[in-house]
Amino acid sequence: MSGERPVKLLILDDEPRILSALRRCLRREPFEIFATESVAEALRILDAEPIELVLSDLKMPGTTGIQFLEQARARRPRALRMLITGWTEMLPDDAVQSLGIRAVITKPWEDHALKETLRMACKELTSQGNPGHS
């Protein structure tokens, strides 16, 4: 991935400490990170930026990651979608398949496993020929 522009990654989680930990974990990775606690702000970012990867928490006040990823898919259909959650038992399998969710990352996560999952997504973006990754 060296020599290419950073992949635009949107992270949505209602817990500031989780966002901070994810930013810290990914700071040396080739991502331009957009992180927010707000669904409304995440949707604004999706409308304003050519986001390529979306990582959303599952359980948030007022909505779920599934509901958010449905909206994200409508706005950025080519973006790869992933969930991060400590509540995997609440995750309906049919939603994962129907939304094309590429990965479900369990909280607490292992940094190396998270990075590897995101690197694999970047390789998938490259093979899809997304802008800037051909």
Side-chain angles (χ1 to χ4, degrees), residues 121-134:
C122 289
K123 287 180 184 175
E124 189 173 337
L125 288 169
T126 301
S127 69
Q128 287 178 359
N130 274 10
H133 290 92
S134 50

Side-chain angles (χ1 to χ4, degrees), residues 24-59:
R24 203 169 34 256
C25 170
L26 300 172
R27 74 178 175 264
R28 287 183 169 57
E29 297 297 307
F31 299 111
E32 181 178 352
I33 298 173
F34 298 83
T36 182
E37 301 166 38
S38 158
V39 171
E41 177 66 9
L43 293 173
R44 188 199 66 71
I45 292 167
L46 284 167
D47 288 339
E49 297 288 338
I51 298 297
E52 297 162 286
L53 284 173
V54 179
L55 178 61
S56 175
D57 189 16
L58 174 62
K59 192 175 173 188

